[in-house]
Structure formats: structure tokens, C-alpha cells
């Protein structure tokens, strides 16, 4: 039995972020599979810090959005939503042009929590620029 919610697709995920931060940043979901979601974000001036390096918050936004959307796609039946309760990132490099790619993979898909790891890389070279981990709390209807 698949852990994926049948009503969630790449199209619905990309539509959801349109008028919110993911849409503004140009984040695009690319491929959704069981326990995995891949995405990308073009690197523009708005993603940089004043020193012209990619702002760490831009990298975190890509990774957190990808893991969050993956969580939505993998919520247990009957769950309402989720919220991030912890996140951590290690930044190993930067890019100044092109795009960055993110691959999120499930480490734990529980009834009350999910744990996701993501790798962010330079899309052109594949060089890893950040490692990310987050814990999501599954939200259930109040009864």
C-alpha cells in the first residue's frame, strides 16, 4: 500500500505555493515518488545576501518547502495538516547563478511525526551546497 495521498500531485503542490513564499521565490516541485520529492529553484538576485552569495535563508526555504510538501503528500489518512517542530541545516558551499536542486527523502513516516532529510545541490554540477533535516508534527482533527 502506498504512503502517498492520491489527491496530491506535482500540479497541486506547485499550485499551492503560487501566491505564497514558494511561488515568490520560484520554487518548483519536479518529481514526487513514495518517500521522495525533488524540486528546484532558479538563482536570482532576490535569493542573494548583500555579499552576492546565496542567502542561507533561500537555501533553507527551498529545503523546508520541499520537505513540507513531501509531508503533505505523505500525511496519514484522516490527518488535517502538519507543522514543522524542528529544522537544522549545514551549509557547505554556494552558487551565484543557475539553479539549485533539492531532493527530500523520508527517514520516518509515523502517525504523529515525520522526519525528512534534504540535500541541496548546484543543479548544473551536482555539487552539494547544503544538508537539511526537519521534524514535522502531524496535526489531527480536534474532536
Amino acid at each position: 500500500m502506498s504512503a502517498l495521498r492520491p489527491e496530491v500531485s506535482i500540479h497541486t503542490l506547485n499550485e499551492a505555493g503560487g501566491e505564497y513564499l514558494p511561488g515568490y521565490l520560484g520554487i518548483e516541485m519536479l518529481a514526487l515518488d513514495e518517500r521522495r520529492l525533488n524540486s528546484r529553484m532558479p538563482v536570482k538576485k532576490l535569493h542573494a545576501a548583500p555579499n552576492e552569495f546565496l542567502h542561507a535563508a533561500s537555501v533553507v526555504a527551498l529545503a523546508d518547502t520541499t520537505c513540507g510538501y513531501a509531508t503533505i503528500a505523505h500525511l496519514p489518512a484522516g490527518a488535517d495538516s502538519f507543522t514543522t517542530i524542528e529544522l537544522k541545516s549545514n551549509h557547505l558551499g554556494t552558487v551565484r547563478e543557475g539553479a539549485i536542486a533539492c531532493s527530500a527523502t523520508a527517514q520516518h513516516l509515523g502517525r504523529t511525526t515525520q522526519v525528512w532529510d534534504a540535500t541541496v545541490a548546484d543543479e548544473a554540477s551536482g555539487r552539494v551546497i547544503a544538508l537539511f533535516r526537519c521534524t514535522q508534527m502531524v496535526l489531527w482533527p480536534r474532536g
Side-chain angles (χ1 to χ4, degrees):
M1 183 166 138
S2 174
L4 286 169
R5 292 181 80 130
E7 71 276 13
V8 178
S9 68
I10 290 295
H11 176 74
T12 60
L13 294 172
N14 283 324
E15 258 189 358
E19 293 186 23
Y20 297 95
L21 183 67
Y24 179 73
L25 294 176
I27 295 172
E28 177 188 10
M29 299 301 121
L30 300 175
L32 173 63
D33 294 303
E34 185 126 1
R35 304 179 70 88
R36 179 177 299 276
L37 180 60
N38 294 326
S39 64
R40 73 182 300 272
M41 182 176 74
V43 175
K44 301 178 182 175
K45 186 170 184 145
L46 68 92
H47 299 113
N51 65 1
E52 300 297 326
F53 290 121
L54 191 59
H55 198 294
S58 295
V59 176
V60 169
L62 175 62
D64 189 50
T65 299
T66 306
C67 291
Y69 284 14
T71 300
I72 291 168
H74 290 82
L75 284 173
D80 271 349
S81 192
F82 77 96
T83 190
T84 303
I85 57 176
E86 182 183 29
L87 60 82
K88 177 194 185 323
S89 61
N90 293 98
H91 299 265
L92 311 172
T94 193
V95 298
R96 292 182 185 223
E97 61 187 16
I100 55 176
C102 180
S103 181
T105 56
Q107 302 304 309
H108 168 73
L109 296 176
R111 183 165 164 71
T112 57
T113 60
Q114 293 187 12
V115 177
W116 289 84
D117 283 344
T119 301
V120 180
D122 179 340
E123 188 176 67
S125 71
R127 181 177 50 87
V128 173
I129 65 165
L131 303 172
F132 178 89
R133 173 170 272 193
C134 64
T135 303
Q136 315 287 24
M137 181 171 60
V138 176
L139 302 176
W140 295 90
R142 292 184 178 203

